[in-house]
Amino acid sequence: MKDSDFLSSTLGTIDRSCDMAKIDGRHCLILKSISRGLAVEYPLAHDDGSTSIVRAYRFQHNGARGPLKGGIRIAPGVTGAEVTALAMLMSLKSAVLGLPYGGAKGGIVADVNQLSRAELERLCRGYIRAVYPVIGPDTDIPAPDMNVSMEAMGWMLDEYETLAGRHVPAAVTGKPLVLGGSKGRVTAVAWGGIFVMEEVEHRQGEQYATYAVQGFGNVGGNMAMILHNKHKRVVAVSDSKGGIFNGHGLDIHAVSRHKEQTGSVVDFPGADNISNEDLLELGVDVLVPAAKEDQIGERNADRIKAKVVLCLANGPIDRKGSEMLAARGILVVPDILANGGGVAVSHFEWVEGREGLYWSGPEVSQKLKDLMKRAYRDVYDTSQEYHCDLYTAAYVLGVRNVVEAMKARSI
Ligand code: NAD
C-alpha cells in the first residue's frame, strides 16, 4: 500500500462512518479536510562538518474538541499524506476516549540509525524551531511516536522553553519524569491495550492465552513484557528485521536482552526465525500489530487465524481488511480505541503540567484503567446501537463526537 492509499482508506472510513451516523454532507466534508498543514525544511549540521536539509511536517486536523494533540514520528519514508491520515486518526481517537483534544501529527524525514546521538538531538531541536509558530500548550501539543524516545521529548521541551523564555511543561508530553513527565507514560499504550483486552474477555466470556506481537519498540516491546509478566504465552514477536516463534512461549526478558545486545529479536536462541508476514498468520488467540500501518488488508485478511486482533499500531488494518476479518467472525479492536492509552496518559501529563501537581503511579494506572474501560463500553454500546462490529462502531462514535463539538460552535 502506498501512503496515499493509507490516506484514501482513512478518508473512506470517515465517509462510511458519517453515512452510518447520518452526519450531513457539509460536516463530513469538513471532517475529511485538514485545517492546517505545515511542511518545513531546515538545516541539520552533521558531526563531520557537513550540512543536510531535513524535510518535516506538522499537520493539524480538527480543533473543535480542544487543542490539537498528536505524536511526532521520525522515519526515512514519512510523507505528508501519511501524517495527514495519522492526524485524522488522532482527532477520532481523542473523541472516542472523551478527551478534550483535536488531532495533529508530526513527521521528520530521517533515518535514526544513520544519526549520532548529537545529530539526533540537533534534528529534534531543529524540528521544534521550525514548527514553533504552530505548537504550544493551548494550541498543539506534540508527543512521541515511532523512533522518538522520552529523551528526545526532553530535548524538544527544552528547545520550546528556550524559545518561549519560560517554563512550559504542558508544551509537550512523553517527556522525562524529571522535566514534568507523567508516571506510566512509557507503558501507557500497552497497559491501555491490556485493560481493553480485560473488557473484551469479560464480554466474550473467554480467556485468551496465546499472543503474537508485531513490533518490539515502545508499544510492542512493553506489551510483550506485560503479557509475559501476566503469565500469558507470547509465542511470537518481531521487529523490522524479522520475527521469532516458539510455540511454548518466549521468555520476553531474555528476548529483550538479546535485542539490546544484537540490535534485533532475530536469531534468539531457542526460537525459530519467521517473517513478519508469517507472524501475522499464526494460529494464536490474539494478534497484536504494534509496529506500523498497512499490515492487514485484502491481500492477507483471509489468512489471519487469530480470534482477536488488538490494533496497537496506528492504521495496521485497512477498511477492506477489517470487513473481511469481521465477516469471518474475527474480533478487531480498532486502533482508535486499543492504543488510546498513549494519548490518555499524555492528557494526564498535560493536566499535571498545567497544575504543577503530579499523580502517583497507582493513581495514573487506576485513572487509565477507568478511562479505557469506559471507552470500550462506549464503543461496544455504539456497536449495539448501529448493529455493527467494534471497528466500525469506534469510527462512528469518533465522527459523531467531533461533529457534536463542531455543531456546538455553529461550525
Ligand atoms: P518504536 O519506534 O518504538 O517501535 C517500532 C517497532 O516496530 C520497532 O521494534 C521496529 O523495529 C518495528 N518495525 C518497524 N517496521 C516494521 C515492520 N515492517 N515489521 C515489523 N516491525 C517493524 O515505535 P512505537 O512508539 O512503538 O510505535 C509503534 C506503533 O504504535 C506506531 O504505529 C505508532 O504510531 C503507534 N502508537 C504509538 C504511540 C506511542 O505513544 N509511542 C501511541 C499510539 C500509537
Side-chain angles (χ1 to χ4, degrees), residues 73 145 147 185 189 216-219 239-240 276 291-292 313-314:
R73 62 171 50 176
D145 195 77
N147 293 316
R185 176 59 184 87
V189 180
F216 206 73
N218 176 299
V219 174
D239 58 31
S240 58
N276 264 295
K292 55 186 300 197
N314 282 310

Side-chain angles (χ1 to χ4, degrees), residues 73 86 90 93 105 143-148 185-186 189 214-221 238-242 259 276 289-293 295 312-315 339-343:
R73 62 171 50 176
L86 290 165
M90 280 307 299
K93 189 186 303 180
K105 203 78 182 186
D145 195 77
M146 279 168 75
N147 293 316
V148 175
R185 176 59 184 87
V186 174
V189 180
Q214 185 195 44
F216 206 73
N218 176 299
V219 174
S238 69
D239 58 31
S240 58
K241 297 188 178 131
K259 184 166 168 86
N276 264 295
K292 55 186 300 197
E293 60 280 354
Q295 297 304 299
L312 292 192
N314 282 310
N339 72 28
V343 68

Side-chain angles (χ1 to χ4, degrees), residues 166-381:
R166 64 199 156 92
H167 284 291
V168 197
V172 308
T173 59
K175 55 194 176 287
L177 280 182
V178 69
L179 298 182
S182 177
K183 296 250 169 62
R185 176 59 184 87
V186 174
T187 53
V189 180
W191 273 111
I194 297 278
F195 295 142
V196 167
M197 275 310 297
E198 286 176 5
E199 284 297 296
V200 171
E201 285 184 334
H202 175 69
R203 190 75 64 178
Q204 300 291 110
E206 216 178 317
Q207 293 291 311
Y208 301 109
T210 56
Y211 284 74
V213 181
Q214 185 195 44
F216 206 73
N218 176 299
V219 174
N222 279 310
M223 184 65 178
M225 188 64 83
I226 295 169
L227 288 168
H228 178 73
N229 291 342
K230 286 174 83 67
H231 308 294
K232 300 285 186 182
R233 193 147 44 99
V234 182
V235 298
V237 296
S238 69
D239 58 31
S240 58
K241 297 188 178 131
I244 52 173
F245 171 79
N246 182 331
H248 299 294
L250 296 160
D251 175 351
I252 301 300
H253 294 277
V255 173
S256 210
R257 283 194 297 275
H258 176 76
K259 184 166 168 86
E260 262 168 41
Q261 284 156 10
T262 67
S264 173
V265 298
V266 172
D267 291 334
F268 177 69
D272 297 325
N273 285 335
I274 56 170
S275 69
N276 264 295
E277 281 292 309
D278 294 340
L279 180 142
L280 295 173
E281 296 168 17
L282 289 171
V284 286
D285 289 339
V286 185
L287 171 64
V288 187
K292 55 186 300 197
E293 60 280 354
D294 180 33
Q295 297 304 299
I296 301 171
E298 196 168 4
R299 67 182 186 284
N300 61 352
D302 57 349
R303 296 198 296 276
I304 304 299
K305 299 185 199 73
K307 295 179 187 166
V308 177
V309 182
L310 180 74
C311 299
L312 292 192
N314 282 310
I317 303 188
D318 67 12
R319 194 157 45 98
K320 183 72 189 162
S322 83
E323 282 167 7
M324 287 169 68
L325 294 186
R328 291 178 47 226
I330 296 174
L331 194 153
V332 178
V333 189
D335 46 6
I336 60 170
L337 169 65
N339 72 28
V343 68
V345 176
S346 271
H347 176 245
F348 303 160
E349 183 177 333
W350 179 72
V351 172
E352 289 170 325
R354 294 171 82 91
E355 296 294 320
L357 289 171
Y358 293 84
W359 289 297
S360 68
E363 283 170 322
V364 168
S365 176
Q366 188 59 50
K367 286 164 72 64
L368 177 63
K369 187 175 193 164
D370 293 346
L371 193 146
M372 295 306 295
K373 293 198 169 204
R374 193 199 62 225
Y376 174 84
R377 287 194 290 271
D378 288 349
V379 172
Y380 181 82
D381 290 348

